[in-house]
Amino acid sequence: MTTQAAPPAHHLQDLENRLSALDQQVQEMRAEIARWQAALRPRMPWRIWLRHQIKIRLGLMADLGQLVFPDPPRALHVPARYYRKPALADPPVISVVTPSYNQGPFLDRTIRSVLDQEYPRLQYVIQDGGSKDSTAEVLDQYRDRLHHCEMRKDRGQSHAINLGFAHTSGEIMAYLNSDDLLLPGSLFAVAKYFTDHPDVDVVYGHRVIINRNGDETGRWVLPPHDAEVLKWADFVPQETLFWRRPHLGQGWWDR
């Protein structure tokens, strides 16, 4: 009977060192794989991520905060169908507030864009912060057609919006800045959609960009609503946003 001599202690130590080194390499490789998987995994819905990658490949990216349009300004064209008023048996009351301060040169067009809608159940409020320009003269032309009009010092835009909404009771609410416009038919379209979709609380739409002369310089054509995308970027055009009062009522705007 023969016996095998035990390997030298230094040989065993060498094997343990090699195993330890191999284990360290495996750990590093696993960490590297995890980093690559995280880098390749989209952090938004796949279809949005894929669309984003296509835009990158085609060079269609835009700088944030910069609106640059390749075409020169052109006269704003409103399709004839926008002027058609849908039949509404019981149109909801719509309350619109315009906060304003020293926006006299633009305020007249803003007011006319709302009043010329001829929406039958409109509460339109102008809440001005005590302008020193031509605002008072502009408001004097429309006071008898406004639900409420006030010129008083406020604590900023959000405060002015809250002050204005305090004088309203409409089921549908919106605010329109004093240099923005509503396209013809907007209020009727909003009212019909809310009436036809009682489960919907908020609506918004596309945006047309205009310059000081009212000429079109570009458009924001929005994709279908996606709550996940809104976590990444607030792309909702404010002037197109309407909501139901029970969910976002008075005092909602942060001062």
Side-chain angles (χ1 to χ4, degrees):
M1 181 175 180
T2 60
T3 59
Q4 186 175 1
H10 66 86
H11 184 60
L12 290 176
Q13 185 62 47
D14 181 61
L15 289 176
E16 289 183 359
N17 291 340
R18 291 170 61 185
L19 286 173
S20 178
L22 287 173
D23 182 66
Q24 180 66 27
Q25 292 179 13
V26 171
Q27 296 295 332
E28 292 175 354
M29 291 176 64
R30 286 176 175 171
E32 186 68 15
I33 292 173
R35 282 195 293 270
W36 276 103
Q37 289 176 334
L40 294 175
R41 185 184 305 118
R43 292 170 171 79
M44 58 182 72
W46 273 101
R47 58 189 180 88
I48 303 298
W49 179 83
L50 180 60
R51 186 184 307 163
H52 177 71
Q53 297 303 315
I54 292 174
K55 287 182 178 180
I56 293 177
R57 300 297 185 273
L58 297 179
L60 300 178
M61 305 306 295
D63 294 332
L64 290 177
Q66 297 185 13
L67 292 176
V68 181
F69 303 103
D71 298 324
R74 59 185 178 183
L76 178 63
H77 171 69
V78 179
R81 68 179 184 277
Y82 282 31
Y83 294 92
R84 300 176 192 145
K85 299 179 175 62
L88 297 172
D90 185 22
V93 177
I94 299 180
S95 300
V96 179
V97 172
T98 290
S100 180
Y101 184 70
N102 287 337
Q103 292 277 45
F106 308 102
L107 185 58
D108 183 79
R109 291 190 62 186
T110 298
I111 294 175
R112 284 190 286 112
S113 79
V114 178
L115 296 180
D116 288 353
Q117 304 267 325
E118 297 181 349
Y119 185 75
R121 304 187 69 189
L122 170 66
Q123 295 179 343
Y124 188 31
V125 174
I126 307 294
Q127 189 70 40
D128 183 81
S131 297
K132 307 301 183 183
D133 62 356
S134 60
T135 295
E137 289 77 11
V138 173
L139 294 179
D140 285 342
Q141 303 176 49
Y142 299 101
R143 286 184 184 275
D144 61 339
R145 300 177 62 188
L146 297 173
H147 180 73
H148 180 77
C149 179
E150 185 177 22
M151 297 186 69
R152 53 163 285 189
K153 185 175 179 59
D154 55 51
R155 298 193 297 273
Q157 183 193 49
S158 298
H159 185 217
I161 294 171
N162 283 334
L163 291 173
F165 278 138
H167 298 279
T168 68
S169 60
E171 175 189 353
I172 309 303
M173 306 171 72
Y175 82 89
L176 183 70
N177 286 323
S178 50
D179 57 355
D180 289 334
L181 308 175
L182 291 182
L183 286 175
S186 295
L187 296 183
F188 278 93
V190 167
K192 179 169 175 52
Y193 194 89
F194 274 118
T195 300
D196 293 345
H197 302 83
D199 57 322
V200 172
D201 298 324
V202 177
V203 301
Y204 58 89
H206 306 306
R207 165 185 280 168
V208 178
I209 311 297
I210 60 175
N211 59 18
R212 294 174 62 93
N213 301 319
D215 295 324
E216 179 182 346
T217 60
R219 300 188 180 192
W220 286 19
V221 180
L222 303 181
H225 176 74
D226 192 316
E228 288 299 316
V229 175
L230 274 177
K231 296 178 181 178
W232 288 80
D234 181 8
F235 58 80
V236 176
Q238 168 271 313
E239 68 279 5
T240 73
L241 181 68
F242 291 77
W243 66 92
R244 293 187 191 272
R245 179 179 293 270
H247 297 272
L248 302 178
Q250 297 174 6
W252 185 78
W253 298 101
D254 187 2
R255 294 179 176 85

